[in-house]
Amino acid sequence: MASFKSRYAYPQLYYMLSHKEFKQRQMARDLGYSHGSKISDFVVWLETLGFVTKSKNLRDRVNAYRVPAPLALIKFYSTFFRMSEIRLSIVWGKTREEVIEYFKSQNAVFCLTTALEQYTEYVKDPAVHVYVTPEFWNEMESKEVEGNVRVHLYTFKPYRDDNVTEKNGLRVTTPLRTLIDLYCDDKAYAAEPLINQIWPPQKTNTSQL
């Protein structure tokens, strides 16, 4: 039975949310999967639940799919995956700037509100949120550390490079990945700037009113 527990699920979710329209075979090719039950079962599962709609693409004569309510699908996904499940919280470093510079030198990926700060000036969080390797996560878990800055470490599962970008000299999660993570950490209230960037509100043509 299809679910978000499969390792194939999240890449498909991200792909669906990244495209206004998608086709199963093309998604399989783009993700490097063989087209089969791992693709079709997942798409049909979300279609049955109403998160995906199907239509006939007349040009290609194949079924095309879309996500009519992206935020509803992201919220649904967040009931399966919680950032708290992969989080290690420590107090470390003298200043926030010093901590960020350290993780920048380690080529780590900043996430959640630390990534969000790179997309909007309206969010400030004194804590640092960063994806690290499982090896670093395990090392810090077994260490006695102290400092002044609240640092939240997450074990990073990159899935695909398209979840990561560079912004202002830092490696950060993309706007879409940041949005998904915010919903998975009960921080949807901070996501509005990203929502408007990813899916800009459609302008009304007042001349036709």
Side-chain angles (χ1 to χ4, degrees):
M1 180 179 176
S3 76
F4 283 117
K5 294 181 180 180
S6 166
R7 66 187 180 93
Y8 300 105
Y10 176 82
Q12 292 184 74
L13 169 73
Y14 192 90
Y15 187 94
M16 293 175 183
L17 292 168
S18 301
H19 292 76
K20 291 183 178 179
E21 182 181 273
F22 66 93
K23 305 176 187 68
Q24 288 192 33
R25 288 188 181 279
Q26 185 62 51
M27 180 167 69
R29 285 193 293 267
D30 290 347
L31 294 177
Y33 301 158
S34 58
H35 181 246
S37 60
K38 70 172 73 72
I39 296 287
S40 60
D41 288 357
F42 186 72
V43 174
V44 169
W45 175 57
L46 292 180
E47 182 187 0
T48 302
L49 293 173
F51 293 111
V52 167
T53 59
K54 177 174 64 176
S55 61
K56 181 69 71 174
N57 185 299
L58 298 179
R59 183 186 60 191
D60 300 329
R61 297 183 180 181
V62 297
N63 290 329
Y65 301 84
R66 59 185 294 271
V67 178
L71 292 180
L73 178 54
I74 292 173
K75 185 177 181 180
F76 179 59
Y77 172 70
S78 73
T79 64
F80 290 82
F81 177 75
R82 311 300 300 163
M83 294 296 287
S84 58
E85 296 174 358
I86 58 170
R87 176 164 53 220
L88 173 64
S89 298
I90 60 176
V91 179
W92 188 45
K94 293 180 181 179
T95 67
R96 188 173 187 271
E97 292 73 21
E98 178 187 82
V99 170
I100 288 176
E101 281 300 315
Y102 171 79
F103 285 109
K104 177 182 176 181
S105 71
Q106 298 300 305
N107 211 31
V109 177
F110 296 94
C111 60
L112 290 169
T113 52
T114 310
L116 184 59
E117 289 174 22
Q118 307 306 313
Y119 299 108
T120 175
E121 60 184 19
Y122 299 111
V123 174
K124 297 295 180 184
D125 185 349
V128 174
H129 300 265
V130 59
Y131 278 119
V132 296
T133 63
E135 292 76 19
F136 185 87
W137 198 96
N138 292 333
E139 179 185 345
M140 297 306 291
E141 185 182 33
S142 62
K143 269 188 176 182
E144 290 289 338
V145 296
E146 59 182 26
N148 303 318
V149 183
R150 175 67 63 180
V151 182
H152 301 291
L153 306 176
Y154 305 85
T155 48
F156 186 50
K157 298 178 180 179
Y159 300 103
R160 289 171 57 87
D161 291 340
D162 57 9
N163 282 225
V164 179
T165 189
E166 186 169 313
K167 195 81 171 175
N168 301 321
L170 302 178
R171 293 184 76 216
V172 298
T173 48
T174 59
L176 178 56
R177 176 63 184 252
T178 304
L179 177 63
I180 294 170
D181 286 352
L182 287 170
Y183 267 76
C184 292
D185 203 41
D186 296 323
K187 291 184 172 66
Y189 61 84
E192 185 174 354
L194 280 182
I195 295 170
N196 292 333
Q197 288 181 38
I198 300 170
W199 300 290
Q202 293 188 351
K203 296 181 179 179
T204 302
N205 189 343
T206 56
S207 65
Q208 296 180 359
L209 297 179

